[in-house]
């Protein structure tokens, strides 16, 4: 299933409607040039199908396109970055 991921810049989230429910990746801007990805949610009946990965990839691709560094506060985002080392350069040094 192809997800239509929408970036809602006003609500600071990436989301997709899956079978009438919303899956989302939320973020904040804790400082200039930094996005903190803080929460990922996929409806229970849609879990295990790669939807969270697609949301995270969209968020990270956006961060890269805008030259933002990222803070992976959400464990789902951190795990994705560990599995995809090509995104590690985006992580803000601690």
């Amino acid at each position: 299933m192809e997800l239509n991921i929408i970036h809602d810049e006003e609500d600071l989230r990436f989301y997709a409607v899956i079978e009438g429910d919303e899956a989302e990746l939320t973020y904040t801007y804790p400082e200039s040039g930094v996005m903190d990805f803080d929460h990922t949610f996929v409806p229970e009946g849609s879990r295990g199908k790669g939807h969270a990965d697609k949301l995270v990839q969209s968020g990270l691709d956006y961060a890269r396109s805008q030259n933002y560094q990222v803070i992976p506060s959400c464990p789902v985002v951190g795990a994705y970055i560990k599995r995809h080392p090509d995104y590690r350069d985006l992580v803000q040094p601690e």
Side-chain angles (χ1 to χ4, degrees):
M1 175 182 172
E2 186 65 32
L3 278 189
N4 178 27
I5 298 174
I6 299 160
H7 183 195
D8 184 342
E9 294 183 63
E10 191 172 304
D11 281 342
L12 303 178
R13 69 187 188 131
F14 293 85
Y15 74 96
V17 177
I18 306 169
E19 299 174 10
D21 292 317
E22 286 188 1
E24 70 176 359
L25 168 66
T26 63
Y27 63 90
T28 61
Y29 293 111
E31 59 187 89
S32 179
V34 178
M35 293 178 80
D36 181 353
F37 291 104
D38 56 8
H39 179 71
T40 305
F41 174 78
V42 174
E44 194 169 323
S46 299
R47 294 179 185 167
K49 300 177 183 175
H51 299 317
D53 280 358
K54 289 175 183 159
L55 287 165
V56 171
Q57 182 180 6
S58 292
L60 294 173
D61 287 345
Y62 174 80
R64 175 164 281 145
S65 74
Q66 301 300 309
N67 295 312
Y68 286 118
Q69 289 189 312
V70 302
I71 299 170
S73 292
C74 174
V76 172
V77 177
Y80 184 90
I81 291 170
K82 283 182 183 173
R83 290 191 321 271
H84 299 88
D86 47 319
Y87 288 105
R88 287 187 187 150
D89 63 305
L90 295 176
V91 177
Q92 183 183 44
E94 293 183 23

